[in-house]
């Protein structure tokens, strides 16, 4: 038992000395600039260099592109249509932010009863309006900056 107390006492004495040294190193010492502890003193005198910021113009270009409006899609020339054959691309226009005409893509055409008649649309954009009522045409336009607009246009047919 005596031997165990002797070993335990030496261990406690060694632990107290190590703890005191750590406290002195990390808290107890200070330099003339007011930095306390080994890490703060060493960190204050490290040369980290200047951070170099390179201006490549990427942000300016992004900001300019984001300021441009999305394509505008509108119906031009007529407000009503007669039953029969109509070339939709003659009347539906898409315009870019700078006024250039864009190609119009017809996505869907619904007749007045809500049935999808897109399959009867020809490659040139011609469709036959068989009945009177409001036809819904969904079209999209995309400009050179990949900005896309999709709208639904209601066409009255008498």
């Amino acid at each position: 038992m005596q031997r165990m107390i002797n070993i335990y006492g030496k261990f406690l004495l060694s632990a107290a000395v190590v703890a005191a040294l750590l406290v002195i190193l990390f808290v107890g010492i200070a330099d003339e600039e007011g930095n306390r502890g080994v890490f703060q003193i060493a960190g204050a005198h490290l040369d980290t260099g200047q951070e170099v910021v390179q201006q490549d113009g990427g942000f300016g270009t992004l900001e300019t592109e984001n300021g441009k409006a999305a394509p505008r899609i509108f119906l031009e020339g007529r407000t009503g249509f007669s039953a029969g054959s109509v070339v939709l691309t003659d009347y539906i226009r898409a315009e870019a932010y700078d006024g250039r005409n864009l190609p119009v893509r017809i996505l869907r055409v619904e007749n007045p009863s809500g049935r999808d008649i897109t399959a009867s649309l020809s490659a040139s954009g011609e469709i036959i309006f068989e009945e009177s009522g409001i036809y819904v045409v969904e079209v999209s336009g995309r400009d050179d900056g990949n900005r896309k607009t999709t709208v639904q246009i209601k066409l009255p047919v008498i």
Side-chain angles (χ1 to χ4, degrees):
M1 186 72 168
Q2 180 80 18
R3 186 167 181 221
M4 202 176 236
I5 293 174
N6 192 11
I7 292 172
Y8 186 65
K10 287 180 184 177
F11 168 75
L12 286 179
L13 183 62
S14 297
V17 169
V18 169
L21 285 174
L22 289 175
V23 168
I24 291 171
L25 279 175
F26 294 117
V27 181
I29 59 173
D31 65 357
E32 58 275 354
E33 296 171 6
N35 298 313
R36 297 188 58 84
V38 175
F39 291 131
Q40 281 188 353
I41 293 170
H45 297 290
L46 277 178
D47 181 24
T48 58
Q50 281 287 58
E51 183 178 332
V52 178
V53 177
Q54 184 177 4
Q55 296 291 335
D56 62 357
F59 180 74
T61 304
L62 177 67
E63 190 175 30
T64 302
E65 283 298 312
N66 284 340
K68 294 177 182 175
R72 186 174 71 98
I73 299 176
F74 56 94
L75 184 63
E76 181 179 68
R78 293 177 87 173
T79 55
F81 296 90
S82 299
S85 177
V86 174
V87 179
L88 293 175
T89 54
D90 288 347
Y91 302 105
I92 299 173
R93 299 273 186 235
E95 192 175 84
Y97 64 91
D98 57 358
R100 289 180 297 113
N101 284 331
L102 298 173
V104 174
R105 183 169 172 225
I106 299 173
L107 304 174
R108 183 177 170 88
V109 181
E110 286 183 7
N111 68 4
S113 58
R115 192 169 50 93
D116 184 7
I117 58 170
T118 310
S120 63
L121 184 69
S122 72
S124 63
E126 182 178 9
I127 194 162
I128 298 174
F129 292 139
E130 297 175 350
E131 59 184 289
S132 297
I134 305 293
Y135 285 77
V136 178
V137 181
E138 186 175 348
V139 295
S140 72
R142 186 182 304 264
D143 67 3
D144 56 356
N146 208 27
R147 287 174 287 273
K148 180 180 176 184
T149 300
T150 303
V151 297
Q152 286 186 345
I153 298 175
K154 296 182 179 180
L155 302 176
V157 175
I158 47 174

